[in-house]
Amino acid sequence: MGEDLILEQKHGKARVRVARAWRQSGKQWIVEWNVNIMLYSECLAAYTNGDNSDIVATDSMKNTVYAKAKECADHVPVEDFGILLGKHFIATYSQVTAVTIKIVEKPWERVWIDGIPHEHGFKLGTEKHTVEININKGGDVKVTSGVEGLALLKTTQSGFEGFIRDKYTMLPETKERILATEVSAKWRYTRKPSCYTDAYNAVKKTLVDVFFGSPHVGVYSPSVQNTLYFMAQAVMHKFPVVESIHLSMPNLHFLPVNISNIVKFDHDVYMPTDEPHGTIEASLTRKDFTGFSKM
């Protein structure tokens, strides 16, 4: 390779779908994961000389997912499974310098019948649990958990006023509107919590609780930006194990219908639309954030 050229490369296996069922003490569990693996490795010769001797076949990566799922004798959080996978590739292949594992967990939830959890019945939920694991050769680990498709809506206690007005502005100011969004959130841990699943559920609950406020009074939202900030701030205050959090909250509009020549509406009939929509994103990070940790 010429001295004026630098090659950056990685390879992996994408969209490896695996379901793992556990049957213990008369009760059953199941998870379904979509796994993406990316290896950073020293295999320059494969590109420059056609020498494949340092390449880990992507088919081998796929088979490793199934083998490692089988090795999990007990119901395991998706974060722990991702760490298990990543450490395997680092330990097994000397030429691999770093690994990124991304997993999306499909939301299968246990069915309840007459207030009793069914022993082997499940239904598909809505929002998805996401995980990204980064591991380097020195054993440093970064764990990022997240949620996608967390759909939230409140019919009141929301407004939008005082924004810039110019010749292109047609949007009226309001103290009363529907606020709807589909939250995508990712948060990075500084150390391993006592249980990743419990931490995931607790962070998700905090996001929801802050969005809505108390069940009888609620909380007023002067903008999606303000609500997003207080949601992120609450997570950072409540969970010291979280080093940073990123939130994306599109503003999904419910437009009041106005056909006054036919019938008069009083902000009670709307046209839901998600295209186009406002896009609001922000991150909060602790000042002493370091990125990697030993887990």
Side-chain angles (χ1 to χ4, degrees):
M1 180 178 294
E3 293 182 358
D4 57 339
L5 300 177
I6 298 174
L7 174 66
E8 295 181 358
Q9 56 77 35
K10 56 187 177 182
H11 78 291
K13 197 72 165 181
R15 300 180 66 84
V16 181
R17 295 181 61 181
V18 56
R20 178 62 161 101
W22 291 272
R23 301 173 177 87
Q24 299 169 339
S25 303
K27 195 172 183 179
Q28 306 197 16
W29 294 264
I30 190 167
V31 294
E32 181 179 346
W33 296 322
N34 192 318
V35 182
N36 293 269
I37 302 162
M38 192 61 69
L39 304 186
Y40 301 80
S41 60
E42 297 172 355
C43 57
L44 180 63
Y47 293 86
T48 59
N49 301 326
D51 179 357
N52 297 333
S53 58
D54 286 328
I55 289 183
V56 181
T58 65
D59 187 68
S60 301
M61 299 181 203
K62 176 201 68 178
N63 294 336
T64 301
V65 172
Y66 297 114
K68 292 300 175 182
K70 173 62 178 176
E71 287 181 14
C72 296
D74 297 314
H75 186 199
V76 61
V78 60
E79 288 88 351
D80 284 325
F81 182 70
I83 293 171
L84 175 69
L85 266 183
K87 287 185 174 180
H88 165 83
F89 290 115
I90 286 288
T92 303
Y93 304 104
S94 59
Q95 69 274 33
V96 173
T97 58
V99 179
T100 295
I101 306 290
K102 295 182 179 181
I103 307 176
V104 177
E105 183 173 83
K106 202 167 183 176
W108 289 109
E109 301 172 350
R110 190 173 299 278
V111 169
W112 288 63
I113 305 294
D114 296 330
I116 301 173
H118 201 284
E119 290 186 355
H120 57 265
F122 297 83
K123 65 180 180 66
L124 191 61
T126 53
E127 66 270 6
K128 296 178 180 178
H129 184 171
T130 65
V131 168
E132 179 175 335
I133 309 295
N134 294 278
I135 304 177
N136 63 25
K137 202 67 174 179
D140 297 316
V141 180
K142 285 192 289 189
V143 178
T144 303
S145 296
V147 60
E148 290 182 355
L150 179 59
L152 305 176
L153 179 151
K154 58 183 184 179
T155 57
T156 188
Q157 287 281 54
S158 174
F160 190 49
E161 301 176 278
F163 50 88
I164 293 174
R165 304 199 70 88
D166 57 29
K167 65 180 181 179
Y168 301 107
T169 304
M170 297 179 62
L171 183 70
E173 297 190 355
T174 181
K175 294 181 178 179
E176 178 61 48
R177 66 173 182 172
I178 288 177
L179 177 58
T181 188
E182 193 170 278
V183 180
S184 293
K186 294 182 179 180
W187 55 92
R188 182 174 296 170
Y189 294 102
T190 180
R191 63 182 187 275
K192 184 174 181 177
S194 58
C195 174
Y196 279 114
T197 299
D198 290 346
Y200 167 79
N201 289 328
V203 170
K204 186 172 67 171
K205 182 179 185 302
T206 298
L207 295 172
V208 172
D209 289 352
V210 174
F211 179 89
F212 290 113
S214 63
H216 298 295
V217 179
V219 60
Y220 183 73
S221 171
S223 66
V224 177
Q225 286 86 343
N226 184 256
T227 296
L228 181 154
Y229 175 76
F230 282 113
M231 291 166 67
Q233 183 188 59
V235 171
M236 298 296 284
H237 284 171
K238 191 171 182 179
F239 303 96
V241 297
V242 173
E243 282 279 14
S244 64
I245 183 169
H246 177 86
L247 287 176
S248 174
M249 292 174 56
N251 190 4
L252 305 179
H253 304 298
F254 280 64
L255 306 177
V257 172
N258 182 13
I259 48 174
S260 56
N261 58 321
I262 300 175
V263 63
K264 180 175 175 58
F265 297 106
D266 187 23
H267 287 279
D268 51 6
V269 178
Y270 300 84
M271 180 177 63
T273 176
D274 58 6
E275 295 180 355
H277 62 247
T279 300
I280 296 90
E281 297 188 24
S283 301
L284 279 183
T285 303
R286 300 189 194 278
K287 290 184 178 179
D288 57 351
F289 174 63
T290 58
F292 279 98
S293 60
K294 300 288 185 180
M295 295 192 188

